[in-house]
Amino acid sequence: MSLALPSTTALLMMECQKGVLDASGKFAALANRAAEKGMLAAIARILAASRDTGRTVVHCLSVARPDRGGRRQNAPLLRLSFEGLTIGSRRAEVMDELAPVEGDFTVGRLHGVSPFHDTELDAILRSRDVTTVIATGVSLNVGVTGLVIEAVNRGYEVVLPTDAVAAAPAEYEAAQLKFGLRALATLTTADEVCAVLRASKGSL
Amino acid sequence: MSLALPSTTALLMMECQKGVLDASGKFAALANRAAEKGMLAAIARILAASRDTGRTVVHCLSVARPDRGGRRQNAPLLRLSFEGLTIGSRRAEVMDELAPVEGDFTVGRLHGVSPFHDTELDAILRSRDVTTVIATGVSLNVGVTGLVIEAVNRGYEVVLPTDAVAAAPAEYEAAQLKFGLRALATLTTADEVCAVLRASKGSL
Amino acid sequence: MSLALPSTTALLMMECQKGVLDASGKFAALANRAAEKGMLAAIARILAASRDTGRTVVHCLSVARPDRGGRRQNAPLLRLSFEGLTIGSRRAEVMDELAPVEGDFTVGRLHGVSPFHDTELDAILRSRDVTTVIATGVSLNVGVTGLVIEAVNRGYEVVLPTDAVAAAPAEYEAAQLKFGLRALATLTTADEVCAVLRASKGSL
Amino acid sequence: MSLALPSTTALLMMECQKGVLDASGKFAALANRAAEKGMLAAIARILAASRDTGRTVVHCLSVARPDRGGRRQNAPLLRLSFEGLTIGSRRAEVMDELAPVEGDFTVGRLHGVSPFHDTELDAILRSRDVTTVIATGVSLNVGVTGLVIEAVNRGYEVVLPTDAVAAAPAEYEAAQLKFGLRALATLTTADEVCAVLRASKGSL
């Protein structure tokens, strides 16, 4: 097995929030695609393996203040008048299957569309000497793609279990993996990630 | 006409370099797709309009030291054993159609896959009070997508003339525009960009 | 009066926290110096003028998780075994004189020694089109000096009311202002800042 | 001997340029202080030991375009009308004692006052797995202080040989070391650094 997941591997879960993965909301197509492929169950298996073996776990969240302060509306996605992921609301919460526990990190951001830029995510990973990240969550349309590019720019190896991410529609998801992300990350599956994680311990 | 290109608009050209747009090289499919759609001619028209009206112009380049110093090989794309875009070599040069002139900015980077992270690009744009960037060049597979995400994260409005960018294959290019970048940028054409640029002056 | 404080001015208050300005704690000399010069009262006047005129207000805080996660101990200051500014504890709170109200921003950071690096501070300021920051708080020994350098690097004008900052000992405070910060910021007083703020409205 | 300089140590030399260390220029007091204490000779010894043992060497330079493009004049230091460190000019060159050789890195920046922010310095260090930096050069008034703060924020250990840095006047230099930088870096001497460097090899 050639997949390398050293003790210094971290699991990143991108915007697995109730207001995002909401089949009746603005991102219904994405929510349906994630449900169809069993994305949450795949992430949950990786999360369990990561916690069991002492890896760093980070929930990367999009959040909003009630007054929308800190959120510049400089892109169509950021101008969406959806009922925002307001801090403290049910919609901002992580999906129950992946609910944070003590020891996890949660990095909420008010601004932008991807998780590294001007947040503490990189500092958290550096504080644990993390060298490899497992990219999971939604969506390959924007946020997870941004996560992968930002992680590569910062020197991390990226592992991407294709059943633990989603985009809508499904045809675009396949194309984005094949023609975009394959150049940046090692594509694999949740089961392979779990097997490799469980074969060694983390560095905590 | 609703397209807004204030005096504080900058033109960003991503990796329009001889070693990238080389129909006999590692990225032949991309070079062929760019040729097929007339990408360079479209960018050249925008470049002329930008210079004529005093807008900021930036060439965003990938470059390499002969010893590859500063380049971490932490992704498949960065591990490619292609004959690199070595500083001073013909392959690192900008395509003749877009050759830099005095007053242009050139931002070369040794590391990573997109142009903003830990380069002076943002500082250059801030020094001119730039608020809007025109994203052009290659490729939508990775680099231009990264550019757009990074620009949105930093608060810029992004305008993307679809005939002035390319990805391979063409079907993926169309999908990436429709399902990815449309959420982040205003999609338009080179001709419309030129018309709006020429209707007003830059702030230099 | 030559001091310029446009509508797009923000007040930054650095680490005015109970566990920092604690005359019985590790930073007693600093707390005593701040008390001696009436620093908190000076900041409180600027804070009132900032709020009254609709300026952006940001509390820049150092915080810690109970498990110290995210805090790399890579400097003597970061290795201090003081009773940390644990999230949720009294020591992490802002001093009562400056207590946050609705509409203020609070930017806590787990890592490092200054407030801009890999936090949302810059994004918050950009979302309000802030161009000028008023630097206040503690300490000129490290944190406020870092704040000023980081703000200049990011293109902001910095205004520094010398009675609204502190360092220990007092002789070093004077030297740091005269030989270091005078090259980076406009030195002034809290009263002058208040007068100029009250002469115009903010941009909120 | 408790000083730790692992194979992954890099030498950073801040603005040791002819236009900065010019006894007839705007920074004459600084140039004289550096001469008085033999700063260049101390750095030259560390540079030789770093090269001999395969450590990463970086020249951190302030440079300017003839049209001053990319330089925002948002601080007194950046508004100085000194004959700038124009790219290609003698004044922008590194002092002869420390002249770059093949294998060294040179990071020029157009903007700001310290070397890490939005330059490739961090990416270069990460590409070599650098964990510790030796901070040298000028000045402790602004630039080297900024370098140290930025390095600590990014997770590096900082070693500062006090005879290989300078500030003006000398009394401020002593105070800045004692009350500011001692909290952030391990203070030592050039001779001790050389001895420890020579006791082990670098990681190149």
Side-chain angles (χ1 to χ4, degrees):
Chain A
M1 191 180 297
S2 64
L3 184 67
L5 292 172
S7 62
T8 53
T9 294
L11 170 62
L12 308 186
M13 292 167 285
M14 181 68 180
E15 296 184 13
C16 295
Q17 294 166 264
K18 293 176 183 173
V20 176
L21 293 171
D22 171 0
S24 65
K26 285 275 164 82
F27 305 116
L30 177 65
N32 288 331
R33 172 60 188 152
E36 176 187 54
K37 70 189 289 192
M39 183 192 77
L40 282 176
I43 302 177
R45 292 202 304 280
I46 302 174
L47 177 57
S50 297
R51 287 177 177 153
D52 288 351
T53 60
R55 262 74 177 196
T56 298
V57 164
V58 190
H59 303 270
C60 303
L61 308 184
S62 174
V63 298
R65 287 164 46 118
D67 65 3
R68 298 295 176 265
R71 178 187 182 92
R72 192 179 185 90
Q73 297 187 319
N74 60 306
L77 184 62
L78 298 172
R79 283 189 280 267
L80 269 189
S81 62
F82 70 101
E83 312 80 57
L85 305 168
T86 307
I87 297 166
S89 76
R90 187 183 165 282
R91 295 178 62 79
E93 288 175 6
V94 171
M95 297 293 285
D96 294 335
E97 295 89 334
L98 311 176
V101 301
E102 196 182 323
D104 290 3
F105 287 89
T106 298
V107 178
R109 47 166 242 282
L110 301 170
H111 84 287
V113 296
S114 60
F116 276 95
H117 177 258
D118 275 359
T119 73
E120 291 204 276
L121 178 53
D122 191 40
I124 287 167
L125 299 180
R126 282 203 187 202
S127 78
R128 297 287 179 96
D129 293 319
V130 168
T131 56
T132 300
V133 298
I134 305 167
T136 68
V138 290
S139 72
L140 288 195
N141 302 66
V142 173
V144 176
T145 298
L147 180 159
V148 172
I149 291 172
E150 290 182 309
V152 170
N153 283 342
R154 285 159 179 78
Y156 298 99
E157 293 278 341
V158 181
V159 169
L160 194 152
T162 60
D163 47 350
V165 295
E171 299 72 30
Y172 171 67
E173 181 188 293
Q176 182 74 324
L177 288 167
K178 181 171 182 184
F179 299 115
L181 296 172
R182 199 175 54 176
L184 300 175
T186 301
L187 304 192
T188 180
T189 64
D191 282 347
E192 188 176 14
V193 164
C194 289
V196 178
L197 284 173
R198 291 194 183 282
S200 70
K201 285 289 177 187
S203 59
L204 302 192
Chain B
M1 191 178 295
S2 63
L3 185 65
L5 291 172
S7 62
T8 53
T9 295
L11 171 61
L12 308 186
M13 292 167 286
M14 181 70 178
E15 295 183 14
C16 295
Q17 294 167 264
K18 293 177 183 173
V20 176
L21 293 171
D22 172 359
S24 65
K26 284 277 165 79
F27 305 116
L30 177 64
N32 289 332
R33 172 61 188 151
E36 175 186 56
K37 69 189 291 192
M39 182 193 78
L40 282 175
I43 302 177
R45 291 202 305 280
I46 301 174
L47 177 57
S50 296
R51 286 177 178 154
D52 288 351
T53 60
R55 261 73 178 197
T56 298
V57 164
V58 191
H59 303 270
C60 303
L61 308 184
S62 174
V63 298
R65 288 165 45 119
D67 65 2
R68 299 295 176 267
R71 179 187 181 91
R72 192 178 185 90
Q73 298 189 318
N74 60 306
L77 183 63
L78 298 172
R79 283 188 280 267
L80 268 188
S81 62
F82 69 101
E83 312 79 57
L85 305 168
T86 307
I87 295 166
S89 75
R90 186 182 166 284
R91 295 178 62 80
E93 289 176 5
V94 171
M95 296 294 284
D96 295 334
E97 295 89 334
L98 311 177
V101 300
E102 196 183 322
D104 290 4
F105 287 89
T106 298
V107 178
R109 47 166 243 281
L110 300 170
H111 83 286
V113 297
S114 60
F116 275 95
H117 177 257
D118 274 359
T119 73
E120 290 204 278
L121 178 52
D122 192 41
I124 287 167
L125 300 180
R126 282 203 185 200
S127 78
R128 298 288 180 94
D129 292 319
V130 168
T131 56
T132 301
V133 299
I134 305 168
T136 69
V138 290
S139 73
L140 288 195
N141 302 67
V142 172
V144 177
T145 297
L147 181 159
V148 172
I149 291 171
E150 289 183 310
V152 169
N153 284 342
R154 284 158 181 79
Y156 297 100
E157 292 277 340
V158 181
V159 169
L160 195 152
T162 60
D163 46 350
V165 296
E171 298 72 31
Y172 172 66
E173 182 187 293
Q176 182 73 326
L177 288 167
K178 182 171 182 184
F179 299 115
L181 296 172
R182 199 174 54 176
L184 301 175
T186 302
L187 304 191
T188 179
T189 65
D191 283 347
E192 187 176 16
V193 165
C194 289
V196 178
L197 284 173
R198 291 194 184 280
S200 70
K201 286 288 177 188
S203 59
L204 301 191
Chain C
M1 192 179 296
S2 64
L3 186 66
L5 292 172
S7 62
T8 53
T9 295
L11 170 62
L12 307 186
M13 292 167 286
M14 181 68 180
E15 295 183 14
C16 296
Q17 294 166 265
K18 293 177 183 174
V20 176
L21 293 172
D22 172 359
S24 65
K26 284 277 166 81
F27 304 116
L30 177 65
N32 289 332
R33 172 61 189 152
E36 175 187 53
K37 70 190 291 191
M39 183 193 77
L40 281 175
I43 303 177
R45 292 201 305 280
I46 302 174
L47 177 57
S50 297
R51 287 177 178 153
D52 288 351
T53 61
R55 261 74 178 196
T56 297
V57 165
V58 190
H59 303 270
C60 303
L61 309 184
S62 174
V63 298
R65 288 164 45 118
D67 65 2
R68 299 294 176 266
R71 180 187 182 93
R72 192 178 184 91
Q73 297 188 320
N74 60 304
L77 183 62
L78 298 172
R79 283 188 280 267
L80 269 188
S81 62
F82 70 100
E83 312 80 57
L85 305 167
T86 307
I87 296 166
S89 76
R90 187 183 165 282
R91 295 178 62 79
E93 290 175 5
V94 171
M95 296 293 285
D96 295 335
E97 295 89 333
L98 312 176
V101 300
E102 196 181 325
D104 290 3
F105 286 90
T106 298
V107 178
R109 46 166 243 282
L110 300 170
H111 83 287
V113 296
S114 59
F116 276 94
H117 178 257
D118 275 359
T119 73
E120 290 205 278
L121 178 53
D122 191 41
I124 288 167
L125 300 181
R126 283 204 185 199
S127 78
R128 298 286 180 96
D129 293 319
V130 168
T131 57
T132 300
V133 298
I134 305 167
T136 68
V138 290
S139 72
L140 289 196
N141 302 66
V142 173
V144 176
T145 297
L147 180 160
V148 172
I149 291 171
E150 290 183 309
V152 169
N153 283 342
R154 285 159 180 78
Y156 298 100
E157 293 277 341
V158 181
V159 169
L160 195 152
T162 59
D163 46 349
V165 295
E171 299 72 30
Y172 172 67
E173 181 188 293
Q176 182 73 325
L177 289 167
K178 181 172 183 182
F179 299 115
L181 296 173
R182 199 175 54 175
L184 300 175
T186 301
L187 304 191
T188 179
T189 64
D191 282 347
E192 187 176 15
V193 165
C194 289
V196 177
L197 283 173
R198 292 195 183 280
S200 70
K201 285 287 178 188
S203 60
L204 301 192
Chain D
M1 194 180 296
S2 63
L3 185 66
L5 292 172
S7 62
T8 54
T9 295
L11 171 61
L12 307 186
M13 292 167 285
M14 182 68 179
E15 296 185 12
C16 295
Q17 294 166 264
K18 293 177 184 175
V20 176
L21 293 171
D22 172 358
S24 66
K26 285 275 166 78
F27 304 116
L30 178 65
N32 288 332
R33 173 60 188 151
E36 176 186 54
K37 70 189 290 192
M39 182 193 78
L40 282 176
I43 302 177
R45 292 200 305 278
I46 301 174
L47 177 57
S50 296
R51 287 176 178 153
D52 288 352
T53 60
R55 261 74 177 197
T56 297
V57 164
V58 191
H59 303 269
C60 303
L61 308 184
S62 174
V63 298
R65 288 164 46 115
D67 66 2
R68 299 293 176 268
R71 179 188 181 92
R72 193 179 184 90
Q73 298 188 318
N74 60 306
L77 183 63
L78 297 172
R79 283 188 280 267
L80 267 189
S81 62
F82 69 100
E83 311 80 56
L85 306 168
T86 307
I87 296 166
S89 76
R90 186 182 166 283
R91 294 178 62 80
E93 289 176 6
V94 172
M95 296 294 284
D96 295 334
E97 294 89 335
L98 311 177
V101 301
E102 197 182 323
D104 289 4
F105 287 89
T106 298
V107 178
R109 48 167 242 281
L110 301 170
H111 83 286
V113 296
S114 60
F116 276 95
H117 177 258
D118 274 359
T119 72
E120 290 204 277
L121 178 52
D122 192 40
I124 288 167
L125 300 181
R126 283 204 186 201
S127 78
R128 298 286 180 93
D129 293 319
V130 168
T131 56
T132 300
V133 299
I134 306 168
T136 68
V138 290
S139 70
L140 288 195
N141 301 66
V142 173
V144 176
T145 297
L147 181 159
V148 172
I149 290 171
E150 289 183 310
V152 170
N153 284 342
R154 284 158 181 79
Y156 297 99
E157 292 278 341
V158 181
V159 169
L160 195 152
T162 60
D163 46 350
V165 296
E171 298 72 30
Y172 172 66
E173 182 188 292
Q176 182 73 324
L177 289 166
K178 181 170 183 184
F179 299 115
L181 296 171
R182 199 175 53 176
L184 301 175
T186 302
L187 305 191
T188 179
T189 64
D191 282 347
E192 187 176 15
V193 165
C194 289
V196 177
L197 283 173
R198 292 194 184 281
S200 69
K201 286 289 178 186
S203 59
L204 302 190

